[in-house]
Amino acid sequence: MILFACRCLKLSCQGKTNWHAVLEQIFQVGVKSLGMTVTAGLFVGAIMALQIDVQLKDFGAEAFLGGLSTSTTLRNVGPVLIAFLLSGKVGAYTSAELGTMEVTEQLNAIRLLGADPVEYIILPRAWAVVISSFLLLIVGLMVTILGGVVFSQFIGVNPLSYIQNIPRIVTGWSLGLSIIKSFIFGLLIAIVSCYKGYKAHGGAVGVGVAVQSCAVTNLILIIFVDFFLSMLSSLLQDVLQVGYF
Amino acid sequence: MNLNYRFRIRETLEQMYLLGVQSVPIVFISLGFVGIMMVLELAFHMRLVLKHDALVPAFSAVLMVRELGPVITCLLLTSRIGAGIAAEIGSMKVTEQLDAMKMLSIDPIDYLVIPRLLGSVFAALTLTVISIAVALWGGAFLAVQRLGSSSGEYFNTVFFFVKFPDVIRCLIKAVVFGSLIPLIASFHGFRCGLGSAAVGEAATQSVVRTSLVIIIADFILTYLFYAI
């Protein structure tokens, strides 16, 4: 899988990406997932606002609700949950499409014509998945903030004070972390789903197996990378002595 | 389901094994990392807000039991088993095995859906319990290693703040999510169109819809349990 990723990277470094095809794929993959991402983001934001409100009441610190729930959602829960959904939608779509092409020997036909299927078929899809997952995650995270604000109305918190609380706790560091996480999750979904689709074999059943193993691998890698990045940011803060600004 | 329903013990046990026991490793690994991650993140926030981290174990354990334990476990189960169920029933429909069953006067819902439903509810319940245990262990590991609290202190705080009703509500959530997965998946399988492309389509659709429905159901259940 790593070799496959290196090969894609090498080809795109040589400037062999067909950006027109990438745009087409972004429309195919990204725009159709927008509604789902927005719905999921709204509910994730609302769930976290509700849950953290209930917990903060136990500790008597409701004043921090806006900042805490937004910060937890942005840094951790939001990217993971939305990336779960995207790996189900975008990843499964890509691996099913590529798997079907491989199984019906369309990729072999391209090889026969003297073209490289990785360059011609897979590279545009991979970049499209990276870009559209990244943008969808950012949109989803923005919508989680909105979901929290809207929901705070229903649990008797003043939305204005909720919003004013956000910049007190959500720092540039947190925002940067969530953007880095979104980008790496996009990269992961793209590599895993393209690889699993490319390696599919054995008829229609093989496509099903490829889709399922793509989804499971994606989820495990997302959780692992999320853990790794959180740990790295925590260690980095200790090393740089930036404190908890 | 007809009234003279016969409980199919063999199919049910087989599905319990396939859906439940075989998902243990992935849940084990993932939720261990989630537990460590939650303690790490909450330590960051607690130091920021309260200037000390004594309440981190309590806060993370409560969040884990009430929210993330059932949701993340069932989202993992969805892509692990939901796609499989939809693809299996869809390909049975495409290859006309469902029609053959009806010819033999076997109700496909009795024969296919009910064992999967029971197996999945069983899997969701047990895996949620396992996942929360693993996540608490992971959290304890990090708290001892990096926050400098002792493990006795950690578990004492956890047991003080996680109340019994929380556990019951967590299990109710697990049952609801666990029954949603095979219902939505087999619905998509039965409605699958003809041709092998339609099977893949059904599997993808079912995973996406199930994940979305689980998140929405989680919101509704949390609202019912804690806000009213």
Side-chain angles (χ1 to χ4, degrees):
Chain A
M1 198 184 289
I2 296 168
L3 287 178
F4 180 76
C6 291
R7 191 169 161 206
C8 283
L9 201 64
K10 195 178 140 206
L11 278 174
S12 42
C13 283
Q14 289 167 354
K16 287 191 176 169
T17 319
N18 180 357
W19 290 104
H20 188 73
V22 172
L23 279 181
E24 199 182 311
Q25 284 295 323
I26 288 180
F27 180 74
Q28 284 281 328
V29 175
V31 178
K32 284 178 186 165
S33 316
L34 194 60
M36 184 205 72
T37 316
V38 169
T39 321
L42 269 179
F43 278 98
V44 169
I47 290 171
M48 289 311 287
L50 172 60
Q51 191 60 48
I52 294 210
D53 175 57
V54 175
Q55 289 193 32
L56 283 180
K57 265 184 194 147
D58 289 353
F59 301 116
E62 295 109 308
F64 292 109
L65 172 65
L68 263 186
S69 74
T70 312
S71 180
T72 320
T73 315
L74 279 187
R75 284 174 61 104
N76 211 321
V77 180
V80 171
L81 285 185
I82 299 175
F84 272 19
L85 277 170
L86 285 181
S87 81
K89 175 108 183 168
V90 178
Y93 175 81
T94 311
S95 65
E97 200 186 8
L98 287 177
T100 314
M101 282 186 177
E102 172 72 36
V103 166
T104 54
E105 303 192 337
Q106 294 177 42
L107 294 186
N108 281 341
I110 288 170
R111 246 178 234 127
L112 208 62
L113 293 170
D116 183 7
V118 174
E119 180 193 333
Y120 195 69
I121 300 282
I122 292 177
L123 208 56
R125 279 181 176 71
W127 278 113
V129 172
V130 172
I131 295 170
S132 53
S133 305
F134 177 63
L135 293 179
L136 283 171
L137 270 166
I138 298 291
V139 170
L141 289 178
M142 290 198 281
V143 175
T144 58
I145 303 177
L146 184 71
V149 172
V150 169
F151 191 71
S152 68
Q153 184 85 43
F154 294 105
I155 46 178
V157 178
N158 185 3
L160 204 62
S161 70
Y162 184 97
I163 296 175
Q164 279 171 348
N165 214 304
I166 294 175
R168 279 172 54 197
I169 296 182
V170 182
T171 53
W173 187 277
S174 303
L175 277 182
L177 183 66
S178 72
I179 290 175
I180 292 174
K181 273 185 182 173
S182 308
F183 183 70
I184 294 186
F185 290 167
L187 218 56
L188 268 182
I189 295 175
I191 293 170
V192 172
S193 52
C194 286
Y195 177 77
K196 292 283 179 188
Y198 185 57
K199 288 290 170 197
H201 56 85
V205 182
V207 179
V209 172
V211 171
Q212 192 174 347
S213 89
C214 154
V216 173
T217 317
N218 258 331
L219 297 195
I220 291 184
L221 281 181
I222 284 172
I223 286 184
F224 184 73
V225 167
D226 189 36
F227 160 75
F228 184 70
L229 285 177
S230 291
M231 198 75 191
L232 203 66
S233 108
S234 156
L235 289 177
L236 211 62
Q237 273 177 341
D238 285 0
V239 171
L240 294 180
Q241 296 288 323
V242 280
Y244 301 95
F245 48 84
Chain B
M1 187 163 73
N2 49 8
L3 282 177
N4 52 0
Y5 173 67
R6 195 161 61 85
F7 184 65
R8 294 177 191 274
I9 185 93
R10 264 191 66 187
E11 277 81 10
T12 310
L13 281 178
E14 193 186 328
Q15 290 300 327
M16 278 181 179
Y17 176 72
L18 284 178
L19 307 183
V21 179
Q22 294 201 337
S23 310
V24 169
I26 144 176
V27 168
F28 213 85
I29 298 172
S30 314
L31 267 292
F33 282 119
V34 170
I36 298 178
M37 206 162 68
M38 283 320 290
V39 170
L40 199 66
E41 286 291 317
L42 284 172
F44 169 82
H45 287 118
M46 284 291 177
R47 284 190 193 146
L48 194 68
V49 175
L50 302 177
K51 306 285 182 281
H52 69 99
D53 46 24
L55 286 176
V56 171
F59 211 95
S60 74
V62 170
L63 194 61
M64 209 63 221
V65 170
R66 285 185 179 170
E67 205 64 51
L68 295 177
V71 170
I72 292 190
T73 312
C74 290
L75 285 180
L76 282 169
L77 270 185
T78 304
S79 45
R80 167 83 181 65
I81 65 180
I85 292 176
E88 199 181 359
I89 296 185
S91 55
M92 280 186 178
K93 170 151 189 203
V94 170
T95 53
E96 300 184 345
Q97 294 179 42
L98 292 185
D99 294 337
M101 269 180 206
K102 278 181 199 144
M103 289 267 290
L104 295 169
S105 83
I106 298 172
D107 187 355
I109 296 205
D110 266 11
Y111 187 70
L112 296 175
V113 180
I114 305 283
R116 281 171 181 71
L117 185 64
L118 295 175
S120 163
V121 169
F122 166 79
L125 259 179
T126 45
L127 288 176
T128 303
V129 174
I130 291 176
S131 72
I132 289 173
V134 172
L136 289 184
W137 278 336
F141 171 74
L142 192 92
V144 172
Q145 292 296 319
R146 258 177 79 74
L147 304 182
S149 73
S150 72
S151 61
E153 203 182 331
Y154 178 90
F155 281 109
N156 208 2
T157 333
V158 168
F159 290 131
F160 186 74
F161 275 95
V162 178
K163 306 278 190 328
F164 189 63
D166 288 337
V167 179
I168 296 292
R169 287 160 176 171
C170 158
L171 294 181
I172 294 176
K173 275 187 182 178
V175 170
V176 171
F177 301 156
S179 54
L180 281 173
I181 298 170
L183 285 180
I184 298 177
S186 46
F187 172 75
H188 279 94
F190 281 122
R191 282 197 6 161
C192 168
L194 295 179
S196 57
V199 177
E201 179 84 357
T204 315
Q205 281 282 321
S206 84
V207 171
V208 174
R209 297 238 169 99
T210 315
S211 316
L212 209 55
V213 168
I214 282 179
I215 288 182
I216 295 174
D218 180 50
F219 171 72
I220 295 171
L221 285 178
T222 309
Y223 192 77
L224 287 180
F225 287 157
Y226 297 110
I228 292 178

